[in-house]
Amino acid sequence: QLDPDNTGFIGVETFASLVHSHELPLDPAKLDMLVALAQGNDEGQVCYQELVDLMSSKRSSSFKRAIANGQRALPRDVLLDETGLGFYKRFVRYVAYEILPCEMDRRWYFYQHRSCPPPVFMAAVTLTQIIVFLCYGARLNKWVLQTYHPEYMKSPLVYHPGHRARAWRFLTYMFMHVGLEQLGFNALLQLMIGVPLEMVHGILRISFLYLAGVLAGSLTVSITDMRAPLVGGSGGVYALCSAHLANVVM
């Protein structure tokens, strides 16, 4: 009815009036994106496929163009101005500002965020590292576990280039730490940077990124020092910090 010529486009004013007259429950962020898309179009029209992408939360080229147009076409109060938010919503807003550099992208994430599935990967890795450290600390009665300690080096988790035939060691060394200082530093960065990144980008991307950093660490040691044992999750932490660097620069 709104497109009698079957062009695949409708005017944004027509669509907006339809939304308001029928009181359709659209997310404010989606409506902002829709108006931004239309204002970026020379004829002020909305493509049917772009509408479908927005309604289905599909991040397509239309989403990217809406982000670009939205900054200059929709001068609105920033997300930080919203009041009356609960603790969890304030945390989501904090994550949006830490991870996403664009205000429209932040609003989109804030309205689209769902708590399921939760960011369990980084939390599980950190918890496992703490448990392993406590177990070895209690067993050896030492809380500064030097990598050359005989009992410590017998662990099947420690990576050493001489044991590279045991392929699991390329990754499992991330659960071993030589002291509270190393463990605390890695755990802090994993929770402060890794959890927000996982909330925005999902468990698959962040787990792959973290494990790739861990693997890169063991492979590098295999090349640079064939005598050195390797422990700690620093490789994965450096990968997380590097991933966050783009957000910091922008």
Side-chain angles (χ1 to χ4, degrees):
Q1 294 176 350
L2 299 178
D3 183 20
D5 297 329
N6 197 26
T7 62
F9 291 85
I10 59 173
V12 67
E13 295 181 357
T14 303
F15 180 79
S17 63
L18 184 69
V19 169
H20 293 302
S21 62
H22 287 271
E23 297 182 353
L24 298 177
L26 288 182
D27 287 339
K30 288 186 177 181
L31 196 55
D32 287 350
M33 295 292 179
L34 194 64
V35 176
L37 278 173
Q39 291 180 347
N41 188 301
D42 293 337
E43 300 180 2
Q45 294 181 322
V46 178
C47 174
Y48 174 75
Q49 187 58 49
E50 291 174 345
L51 174 63
V52 172
D53 290 344
L54 283 174
M55 295 303 104
S56 62
S57 302
K58 179 182 177 182
R59 294 200 170 198
S60 62
S61 59
S62 63
F63 171 83
K64 297 176 182 178
R65 288 194 291 110
I67 291 293
N69 294 328
Q71 283 285 52
R72 63 174 182 273
L74 298 175
R76 294 188 44 167
D77 294 337
V78 296
L79 188 59
L80 284 176
D81 294 335
E82 294 200 19
T83 58
L85 300 177
F87 174 78
Y88 182 72
K89 274 295 186 182
R90 289 200 303 272
F91 177 66
V92 173
R93 181 174 63 181
Y94 162 79
V95 170
Y97 272 88
E98 283 297 311
I99 303 302
L100 301 170
C102 172
E103 182 65 29
M104 286 296 293
D105 211 348
R106 293 165 182 162
R107 298 189 73 88
W108 175 275
Y109 172 74
F110 181 78
Y111 286 109
Q112 288 295 113
H113 174 74
R114 299 292 181 268
S115 58
C116 186
V120 295
F121 176 76
M122 291 311 311
V125 168
T126 303
L127 180 61
T128 304
Q129 290 171 340
I130 294 174
I131 292 175
V132 170
F133 180 81
L134 293 177
C135 289
Y136 276 95
R139 175 184 170 186
L140 302 178
N141 195 25
K142 287 179 65 70
W143 300 101
V144 179
L145 306 172
Q146 300 299 330
T147 53
Y148 291 101
H149 189 287
E151 293 298 320
Y152 195 61
M153 286 303 297
K154 290 180 181 179
S155 170
L157 302 179
V158 174
Y159 177 74
H160 191 286
H163 296 153
R164 60 185 180 276
R166 302 169 184 175
W168 68 85
R169 291 178 181 252
F170 280 93
L171 294 175
T172 57
Y173 77 91
M174 70 180 183
F175 298 117
M176 307 290 288
H177 290 81
V178 296
L180 287 171
E181 182 178 349
Q182 185 191 27
L183 174 63
F185 178 76
N186 287 343
L188 182 65
L189 288 181
Q190 286 170 183
L191 296 178
M192 289 185 61
I193 299 178
V195 170
L197 282 172
E198 187 177 347
M199 289 177 66
V200 173
H201 297 289
I203 184 173
L204 290 179
R205 290 183 178 184
I206 297 305
S207 61
F208 178 80
L209 175 71
Y210 185 86
L211 294 177
V214 172
L215 182 60
S218 53
L219 291 176
T220 302
V221 169
S222 296
I223 296 173
T224 58
D225 192 348
M226 292 291 291
R227 299 169 298 175
L230 183 64
V231 295
S234 298
V237 169
Y238 294 151
L240 294 176
C241 293
S242 299
H244 189 51
L245 180 62
N247 298 320
V248 174
V249 171
M250 294 180 68

